[in-house]
Amino acid sequence: MKKTLKQLELFLKGSSFDRGIRIGVGITVPFAVLYFLGFFEYAPAVVVGAFLNAPGDIPGSFKRKVNAILVSIGLTMLITAIILFSKPYLPLLLLALGVITFVVSLLSVYGFRASLVSFSGLLAMVIAFAIQKETAQEILVQVALMGVGGLWYLVVSFIFQKLAPIKEQNQLLSDTLLLIGKYLKLRAKLLTQKTKRNERLKQTFVLQHQINEKHETLRESLLTARKRSGRSRYEEKQLLILLSSINIFELIEAKHLDYDMMDDIFGNRKEFLKASQNLNKIMGNHLIRLSELLIQNDKIPDRATLLDALSKTYESISNYIDTVQLPEAREGALVLKNLYDYQEQILEEIRTIRRVMANVQEASKVSLKREDSSQFLTLQEYRLNVLIQNFSLKATMFRHSLRLAIAIVFAYLLGFILDIQNTYWILLTIIVIMRPSYGLTKERSKDRIIGTLIGAAIAVGIVLITQNVVVYAALAIVSLILAFALIQQNYKSAAALITISIIFVYSFINPDAFEVIQYRVIDTVIGSTIAVVANYLLLPSWEVDNLKQVLLNALKMNKSYVLATQKLYQDPSLNQLSYNVARKEAFLAISNLNAAFQRLTQDPKSKQRKFQLIYEIVTLNQTMISAIASIGNFISNHKTTPASIEFNILIKKISNTLQISFDSLEHVQIKKKITEETAEDAQEKLMDKYQQLSNLRDKNIDQGNTELDTETLHALQEAYLIANHMAWLKSLSENLKKATERYRYSIINGSCD
């Protein structure tokens, strides 16, 4: 019960509920004001305008939000006018339907915000069928009032932004810390549990993508605000939390261990990893609690549990050495020490977040270099060239737009021929659930039908209890607010609430509520069926056919990341910024690859060609980026020796192998520059360096010098990590090259036959 109440409190204080209230205010206030002023006949048009332009109001740069809503207002007004003027002429109406659907949905190529503006346009097209205006004057008045409604919603959004300027960013930061906490706990399970390891690795792909998406939105929101007008005290705090969350995410990625090697080293002595596993769990839970405190007003939890878990993790290293004994214990001890160092750094970042949230004075003094923050922003291009590049049957969005246009025209004709009462409900269902991916369309279709049935059942129960129109009106408003608050988190529940709202709104027009419920359910089922069938049969876009470009980008960014790490090793102070930018680009590329793989898993089994091969490629790319991050993180946080010739040779070998994989996919002539013998020799020399240090340490122990000084420890750690991780990276890059070649021959070449 306590947990349920806490979740309810977080929901009511969160930005999602705030957004639902915002839309509720945008809709109800015009109704009330115009009713009392005696101009109620104008209220529906103003309300429709406000409703249609709400989708573009999403977290991010305020300037981009305003621009999106203004574009949305113009687009919805234009589309509404075209449909209303075309209504009397069926051929013209069908042409308008097809062209508008295709062109407007194609605008989604300009990114997520543009896709929401596109959705507003499609929604305006469908709602226009519910508007009964015949003369040119009536149509123009309707369109003008919709424009007023859109501007009114923009004012509402601005007021809410001023009343709670930090709420959206706090919610994003809260969501990010929650996801990172879950990610840490999942990594803990991977550490010692061999069973279900592949299944859990797939779960990490989902979390990585979600975290990267949150970080991208936060960068846009916080860094553009900083560039525009300098940082306020609270914006600086939010930026510090963002930076710490990015550092924690990189540290978790860097701690992606060679689990097969771990199994070999520790064998049946996994109990010595339990302390590290427990520390991950405790830190994960702590981050989840901090995520809640960004929304709630409560005390920050005591740090004693964290420090105690860290202390036990350190003790486990000594226990391992005492049990196994040197020199046999050295390799395992170094693995445990490297693991401890990462966890200690994560804990330090968590403590930074704690200090910021607790308003400790020293927290605000953490220096933020005046780097060019624009380098960390992923800028969306809005040039016509982007649209032209996607104007091809090979482009996913082009195929989706064409498929959606055909489905919409077919659905309208079906409704026209069968004389269906509210054909636009079918159209509405199609535009709401149809996505470029078949799997997502099918999932949303299922959720939509189930949600509609649940909403209809609840509405039936309420209608049987009472026929009070005041109750209907109140329920319509409340359910609409809750629907918009839940639409991102729980689409099924949102669909149920939207159904309840629509049923009670229509009950004012049609007193027979049961008839409204019946039509609503039938039309939803018809629309969902058309959407799923169209996605499967009309220019289907299976993820296996779209994977090439995403994979090419991941290979390219991994290569850039490797080379940036090489430069970092040569001069950390000079190359830290370029390394951070390369890291961000590589993380985004792997995030997109993970997302593509998730979409692949949602396609029908018959369309998942070479699934295991693709999974192998995704896993190899993911492991590579983690191994690179591990080296980069060690260099950034330790005083290291100069980069050796052997290190540079292996870097060149690895980057060339990645380039060969890239060229292989692109059918470019391949040039091999580093011979295998040279790379193997460099690899042996790196391992020899570690072995020499190890032997020297053994001699010191034999002579009675058992105390290990920090300099020797760091030298051993560096030699061990560099030697093993470079060998690991070389092996991963070679395996990736082989897997990529198999992928090209079996999928790309096979699709050309």
Side-chain angles (χ1 to χ4, degrees):
M1 184 66 182
K2 189 177 179 181
K3 186 178 178 181
T4 304
L5 289 173
K6 184 174 75 173
Q7 291 302 317
L8 180 61
E9 181 189 356
L10 289 170
F11 171 69
L12 294 175
K13 289 184 176 180
S15 66
S16 295
F17 184 68
D18 183 71
R19 187 165 182 261
I21 294 289
R22 200 180 311 176
I23 294 170
V25 169
I27 290 172
T28 54
V29 169
F31 264 126
V33 171
L34 291 172
Y35 175 79
F36 285 113
L37 292 177
F39 299 104
F40 188 71
E41 67 272 18
Y42 299 131
V46 175
V47 167
V48 166
F51 173 74
L52 285 176
N53 295 288
D57 184 13
I58 59 169
S61 161
F62 184 70
K63 180 182 177 182
R64 293 181 190 180
K65 183 189 294 189
V66 171
N67 289 341
I69 294 175
L70 289 174
V71 171
S72 175
I73 291 169
L75 187 66
T76 53
M77 289 172 69
L78 177 63
I79 290 170
T80 302
I82 292 172
I83 295 297
L84 290 178
F85 278 117
S86 302
K87 263 189 183 179
Y89 316 102
L90 182 62
L92 182 61
L93 180 60
L94 293 175
L95 178 64
L97 265 177
V99 172
I100 289 171
T101 303
F102 174 76
V103 173
V104 173
S105 60
L106 197 58
L107 294 177
S108 297
V109 299
Y110 289 112
F112 181 61
R113 198 182 297 276
S115 72
L116 294 173
V117 173
S118 166
F119 177 71
S120 290
L122 294 173
L123 201 59
M125 179 186 73
V126 172
I127 289 177
F129 285 96
I131 298 169
Q132 303 301 321
K133 305 293 179 184
E134 296 178 1
T135 67
Q137 183 180 350
E138 287 178 333
I139 292 171
L140 293 174
V141 169
Q142 170 73 26
V143 170
L145 289 171
M146 284 174 58
V148 171
L151 292 171
W152 156 247
Y153 181 79
L154 184 58
V155 171
V156 171
S157 177
F158 178 77
I159 291 170
F160 270 75
Q161 180 85 13
K162 288 298 178 185
L163 290 175
I166 61 172
K167 181 166 272 191
E168 284 186 346
Q169 286 93 336
N170 267 0
Q171 184 68 61
L172 283 167
L173 286 168
S174 173
D175 294 344
T176 305
L177 295 184
L178 173 66
L179 291 169
I180 292 175
K182 289 180 178 179
Y183 191 26
L184 255 177
K185 292 172 71 177
L186 186 58
R187 287 288 197 197
K189 292 178 182 177
L190 284 167
L191 196 57
T192 59
Q193 299 173 16
K194 291 180 70 173
T195 57
K196 297 183 179 179
R197 192 170 274 169
N198 281 342
E199 183 183 322
R200 287 185 176 125
L201 280 171
K202 289 174 186 175
Q203 292 172 20
T204 66
F205 296 163
V206 178
L207 284 171
Q208 287 161 358
H209 180 64
Q210 291 173 340
I211 293 166
N212 269 308
E213 280 190 327
K214 298 293 181 188
H215 279 157
E216 276 294 272
T217 308
L218 280 164
R219 283 190 190 101
E220 179 195 314
S221 179
L222 294 175
L223 294 182
T224 51
R226 180 189 176 194
K227 285 174 64 184
R228 186 172 63 252
S229 57
R231 295 193 311 272
S232 69
R233 171 94 168 88
Y234 206 92
E235 281 173 337
E236 181 172 278
K237 289 172 63 176
Q238 290 178 323
L239 190 55
L240 283 165
I241 295 173
L242 169 62
L243 291 172
S244 286
S245 76
I246 291 171
N247 290 338
I248 292 171
F249 183 47
E250 187 204 11
L251 286 163
I252 300 171
E253 289 296 275
K255 201 164 56 65
H256 182 108
L257 302 163
D258 185 342
Y259 293 112
D260 292 333
M261 183 192 75
M262 295 283 285
D263 293 339
D264 290 339
I265 291 173
F266 291 95
N268 58 1
R269 296 185 177 124
K270 289 285 181 69
E271 69 272 13
F272 293 105
L273 292 168
K274 290 289 184 183
S276 295
Q277 183 186 47
N278 186 52
L279 177 56
N280 261 13
K281 287 180 182 178
I282 289 171
M283 289 192 297
N285 286 326
H286 202 87
L287 282 169
I288 291 170
R289 183 60 188 141
L290 290 177
S291 78
E292 295 169 352
L293 296 181
L294 280 167
I295 308 300
Q296 294 175 311
N297 292 317
D298 208 344
K299 289 183 180 179
I300 291 177
D302 189 69
R303 66 179 183 175
T305 311
L306 286 169
L307 297 176
D308 182 56
L310 183 70
S311 176
K312 287 179 180 176
T313 304
Y314 189 79
E315 287 171 12
S316 70
I317 304 172
S318 301
N319 293 338
Y320 178 78
I321 294 171
D322 292 342
T323 304
V324 180
Q325 296 295 309
L326 292 169
E328 185 188 345
R330 178 166 295 115
E331 188 174 11
L334 285 171
V335 169
L336 289 173
K337 182 63 172 68
N338 282 330
L339 186 55
Y340 171 83
D341 285 349
Y342 288 126
Q343 292 181 304
E344 187 179 34
Q345 290 171 51
I346 290 172
L347 184 53
E348 189 54 44
E349 295 294 346
I350 293 173
R351 292 179 71 179
T352 298
I353 295 171
R354 284 171 53 90
R355 288 196 298 271
V356 171
M357 290 176 62
N359 290 311
V360 175
Q361 288 299 315
E362 288 77 12
S364 62
K365 295 178 183 177
V366 178
S367 64
L368 292 171
K369 294 180 181 178
R370 288 285 174 177
E371 300 159 343
D372 185 4
S373 59
S374 62
Q375 293 188 60
F376 293 94
L377 294 172
T378 305
L379 300 176
Q380 176 64 55
E381 290 211 19
Y382 292 101
R383 293 182 300 174
L384 182 62
N385 189 44
V386 176
L387 204 61
I388 293 170
Q389 287 173 352
N390 283 274
F391 214 82
S392 162
L393 272 174
K394 292 181 180 179
T396 302
M397 282 310 304
F398 183 91
R399 294 161 77 92
H400 168 68
S401 301
L402 198 54
R403 187 187 310 126
L404 183 60
I406 294 169
I408 287 289
V409 171
F410 171 78
Y412 184 78
L413 274 174
L414 180 70
F416 181 81
I417 293 167
L418 298 179
D419 197 24
I420 295 174
Q421 186 175 8
N422 293 317
T423 304
Y424 57 87
W425 277 4
I426 300 175
L427 304 185
L428 181 63
T429 301
I430 293 171
I431 68 163
V432 166
I433 70 170
M434 199 164 179
R435 292 293 179 269
S437 158
Y438 168 81
L440 187 55
T441 299
K442 184 180 176 182
E443 187 69 24
R444 286 176 71 90
S445 176
K446 183 179 72 175
D447 287 346
R448 180 81 176 184
I449 291 172
I450 293 172
T452 300
L453 289 171
I454 292 170
I458 293 170
V460 167
I462 293 168
V463 169
L464 289 173
I465 294 170
T466 180
Q467 283 77 46
N468 190 316
V469 292
V470 176
V471 172
Y472 289 179
L475 287 172
I477 294 169
V478 171
S479 57
L480 190 65
I481 290 171
L482 292 174
F484 279 107
L486 288 169
I487 203 159
Q488 295 295 332
Q489 293 97 327
N490 192 322
Y491 184 69
K492 192 184 295 180
S493 299
L497 289 161
I498 288 170
T499 298
I500 292 169
S501 182
I502 288 175
I503 287 170
F504 288 132
V505 167
Y506 268 84
S507 294
F508 291 104
I509 304 168
N510 182 356
D512 189 350
F514 288 109
E515 186 181 350
V516 175
I517 292 167
Q518 174 190 328
Y519 283 129
R520 174 69 180 167
V521 172
I522 293 171
D523 292 343
T524 297
V525 172
I526 293 172
S528 298
T529 304
I530 291 173
V532 173
V533 172
N535 255 78
Y536 192 88
L537 298 178
L538 294 176
L539 301 169
S541 185
W542 307 118
E543 202 57 44
V544 71
D545 301 319
N546 303 323
L547 205 60
K548 179 183 171 183
Q549 287 305 318
V550 186
L551 179 56
L552 282 170
N553 192 47
L555 290 168
K556 179 182 176 183
M557 292 306 156
N558 265 350
K559 180 188 172 185
S560 298
Y561 193 19
V562 163
L563 295 174
T565 306
Q566 181 187 28
K567 289 181 180 177
L568 183 72
Y569 204 174
Q570 290 165 350
D571 191 338
S573 60
L574 186 64
N575 296 304
Q576 188 68 55
L577 176 60
S578 58
Y579 169 80
N580 289 345
V581 173
R583 175 188 68 185
K584 175 239 178 187
E585 294 295 339
F587 278 23
L588 282 177
I590 204 69
S591 171
N592 290 333
L593 182 59
N594 290 342
F597 178 74
Q598 287 307 308
R599 292 192 295 269
L600 175 69
T601 62
Q602 294 173 332
D603 282 345
K605 294 289 184 184
S606 61
K607 306 300 179 183
Q608 296 177 15
R609 302 197 311 275
K610 299 292 180 181
F611 179 84
Q612 285 304 320
L613 174 59
I614 293 170
Y615 173 61
E616 180 185 350
I617 290 171
V618 174
T619 305
L620 285 168
N621 269 286
Q622 176 64 61
T623 309
M624 273 207 78
I625 203 173
S626 297
I628 299 166
S630 185
I631 295 171
N633 181 266
F634 186 88
I635 295 166
S636 297
N637 293 283
H638 295 81
K639 186 177 180 181
T640 58
T641 58
S644 65
I645 295 170
E646 291 76 26
F647 175 83
N648 291 329
I649 288 172
L650 281 172
I651 285 285
K652 196 167 185 180
K653 167 66 179 174
I654 293 161
S655 66
N656 281 346
T657 306
L658 287 171
Q659 187 63 47
I660 289 168
S661 299
F662 185 95
D663 292 343
S664 174
L665 282 183
E666 281 285 69
H667 298 282
V668 175
Q669 187 177 358
I670 298 167
K671 295 179 181 178
K672 201 168 184 177
K673 296 179 182 177
I674 299 291
T675 62
E676 193 61 39
E677 292 77 13
T678 308
E680 289 291 343
D681 185 50
Q683 187 175 321
E684 285 179 17
K685 285 183 178 178
L686 282 178
M687 193 56 75
D688 284 345
K689 183 179 178 181
Y690 162 69
Q691 202 58 53
Q692 288 168 13
L693 289 169
S694 184
N695 292 338
L696 183 61
R697 176 63 188 145
D698 288 341
K699 286 181 183 178
N700 288 334
I701 292 172
D702 291 340
Q703 293 169 4
N705 300 323
T706 54
E707 288 297 320
L708 181 60
D709 63 277
T710 305
E711 188 177 342
T712 305
L713 173 61
H714 284 175
L716 274 167
Q717 280 185 278
E718 180 184 355
Y720 181 81
L721 183 136
I722 296 296
N724 280 280
H725 275 65
M726 292 307 291
W728 191 22
L729 275 172
K730 178 175 170 289
S731 173
L732 288 168
S733 64
E734 288 166 349
N735 290 338
L736 185 55
K737 183 186 74 171
K738 293 172 186 174
T740 305
E741 286 170 352
R742 296 204 309 274
Y743 170 79
R744 185 190 70 181
Y745 287 124
S746 61
I747 294 181
I748 296 178
N749 289 350
S751 64
C752 299
D753 295 340

